[in-house]
Amino acid sequence: MARIDESRPFLPVNIAVLTVSDTRDLTTDKSGDTLAERLTADGHNLADRAIVRDDVRAIVDHLRRWIADPQIDVVISTGGTGLTGRDVTPEAFESLFEKKIDGFGEMFRWLSFEKIGTSALQSRATGGLAGGTYLFALPGSPSACRDGWDLILKWQLDNRHRPCNLVELMPRLTEV
């Protein structure tokens, strides 16, 4: 699956982790821990980490701050992607997208289907681009975070991945 060109030097990416939850804090945020541990173990920088409540305005406000921060290249969130009334993460993210990365959500659901069958249709994982920053929203379970990172983002955020990756596009994301 992954093809890494070992002749190229690895370039770490600055990644912020956002947990969307009305009930978690840093001591109980297993999904945020999973993402932070995995991205740093793979050589990337944890640029920031936060928890916000399940509220469109709170999520959008936090994302806007990170999008405006030139030290943050990528935001990965966990939580709020389901179907209940409080699950508003996709609405918040997509309101900011300049370009949607349709394949991210499609691929996440396809990979989830292989593990959890038709229950994968309940995921509204999404990805896109805003202000030159990649934004990815994953479901709120450690398992979903492992799958999203290990099977998709780990590879697309590695500049050595062939035939292409998201990192090599970063210098051109804000072209007009």
Side-chain angles (χ1 to χ4, degrees):
M1 178 171 106
R3 294 177 287 189
I4 298 296
D5 180 350
E6 297 291 348
S7 70
R8 297 177 62 143
F10 176 77
L11 300 174
V13 175
N14 297 319
I15 304 171
V17 173
L18 181 68
T19 298
V20 178
S21 176
D22 289 335
T23 60
R24 295 184 188 150
D25 61 32
L26 285 176
T27 64
T28 59
D29 182 19
K30 290 182 169 73
S31 297
D33 288 343
T34 297
L35 287 171
E37 290 163 5
R38 281 180 141 60
L39 72 90
T40 56
D42 286 327
H44 296 289
N45 303 313
L46 180 61
D48 203 357
R49 184 171 170 188
I51 298 176
V52 298
R53 67 189 184 286
D54 291 284
D55 175 79
V56 171
R57 179 66 25 219
I59 298 166
V60 166
D61 288 347
H62 213 91
L63 289 174
R64 281 192 174 135
R65 284 194 295 278
W66 280 347
I67 292 164
D69 185 341
Q71 298 304 309
I72 296 177
D73 303 311
V74 178
V75 175
I76 305 172
S77 75
T78 175
T81 63
L83 298 172
T84 72
R86 298 289 299 154
D87 292 323
V88 296
T89 301
E91 288 78 9
F93 270 60
E94 292 173 8
S95 75
L96 295 172
F97 287 171
E98 294 158 6
K99 293 188 178 186
K100 187 172 181 184
I101 305 172
D102 292 310
F104 176 75
E106 294 164 358
M107 186 174 288
F108 181 83
R109 282 180 286 283
W110 175 68
L111 292 165
S112 294
F113 178 77
E114 292 181 334
K115 292 185 173 191
I116 63 171
T118 59
S119 296
L121 72 83
Q122 295 181 37
S123 170
R124 296 187 307 137
T126 190
L129 183 66
T133 303
Y134 289 115
L135 305 173
F136 299 101
L138 293 168
S141 73
S143 177
C145 290
R146 279 190 297 274
D147 292 347
W149 180 261
D150 294 351
L151 302 176
I152 304 171
L153 294 173
K154 171 181 181 166
W155 306 110
Q156 281 299 297
L157 296 177
D158 188 329
N159 66 292
R160 303 168 301 165
H161 184 267
R162 297 283 144 241
C164 57
N165 60 76
L166 295 173
V167 177
E168 62 195 1
L169 299 175
M170 286 179 171
R172 301 176 34 225
L173 293 178
T174 56
E175 287 178 345
V176 183

